[in-house]
Structures are given as C-alpha cells and as structure tokens.
Amino acid sequence: MHTMNLAELFRHETDLLDLPAGQALFKEGEPGELMYILISGTAEISVNNKLMETATAGAVLGEMAMIDEGVRSATVTAKTDCKFLEIGHKRFSFLIQETPNFAVHIMKVIAKRLRKTDTLV
C-alpha cells in the first residue's frame, strides 16, 4: 500500500497557518488540541533538544493530540518558512470516517515515530 500524500490531499486548502523560519509551531510539554499537516516548507521535530526527524510537505505533526489529551511529546520548529493546515478533533473524526486510508496513514506515522524514539532511549 502506498503512503498518502497529505500535501496533495489538502492542496486546495486556503486557510493556512504561516510560520516563519526559526519559530516553534509547538513545544514539548505544552498542551495541544490541534494536529497539523505541513503543506510547504521544512520543519524539525525534536525531543529533549535532540533532532528526531526533518519533516517535509505532507508530514503529520501533533497527531498524538488527536488520540489522547496529553501534552506535546515533541517540539516542532520551522526550519524554513512553512505553511501548516490546522486540523481539530471534529475534522479529524470526519477524515477518519470518510478516508479510511487517512486513519491507517496516521497509525503508520505514530508507529514509525515510536519505533524511532525507542531506538534512541
């Protein structure tokens, strides 16, 4: 099964969050209610000030906020100027119901990040 290109799926969205290079989208330990799709630009995902991943267009960020009510488990910082699509609980639920591959994609992202974190712990 191919991976979903979320940047492509949401390419017609116009209500995007612009984040200049160097600015944090969210920080580890903060409360979070939104998930984000990186539409353009490059962002860095770090845990305990250690770079875990460099995210590119189509990346899912803050997905854990959709699953539990816990605090952010990582810090996401714009490496270049970025555009993000914000996704709240209501839209997330709709996407899960209407696009089954979306749910599988989110689970794969979470599993991949957990495995990567496990190798570093």
Side-chain angles (χ1 to χ4, degrees):
M1 188 166 87
H2 71 288
T3 39
M4 258 182 135
N5 182 341
L6 296 183
E8 183 63 22
L9 182 67
F10 295 109
R11 71 186 178 282
H12 299 300
E13 294 287 336
T14 53
D15 189 17
L16 301 175
L17 170 69
D18 289 306
L19 195 67
Q23 195 167 330
L25 178 63
F26 54 77
K27 293 182 177 165
E28 197 173 338
E30 289 179 348
E33 296 186 351
L34 296 171
M35 178 182 100
Y36 301 87
I37 308 292
L38 179 55
I39 301 299
S40 67
T42 308
E44 294 183 335
I45 304 168
S46 55
V47 176
N48 294 328
N49 295 316
K50 186 182 291 184
L51 180 65
M52 302 297 285
E53 189 179 323
T54 300
T56 56
V60 176
L61 304 157
E63 70 285 346
M64 299 287 277
M66 297 295 105
I67 312 300
D68 67 12
E69 312 251 321
V71 297
R72 298 290 188 191
S73 59
T75 297
V76 174
T77 308
K79 187 175 180 181
T80 64
D81 291 351
C82 292
K83 289 186 184 298
F84 294 94
L85 174 63
E86 298 176 332
I87 296 184
H89 287 282
K90 192 173 177 180
R91 186 164 191 192
F92 181 77
S93 295
F94 176 81
L95 285 164
I96 294 288
Q97 290 169 8
E98 298 300 313
T99 316
N101 286 346
F102 179 78
V104 173
H105 181 75
I106 297 300
M107 287 187 276
K108 284 183 174 183
V109 168
I110 292 171
K112 181 179 148 204
R113 288 187 179 149
L114 280 172
R115 287 184 193 279
K116 189 169 188 172
T117 304
D118 284 347
T119 63
L120 297 169
V121 174

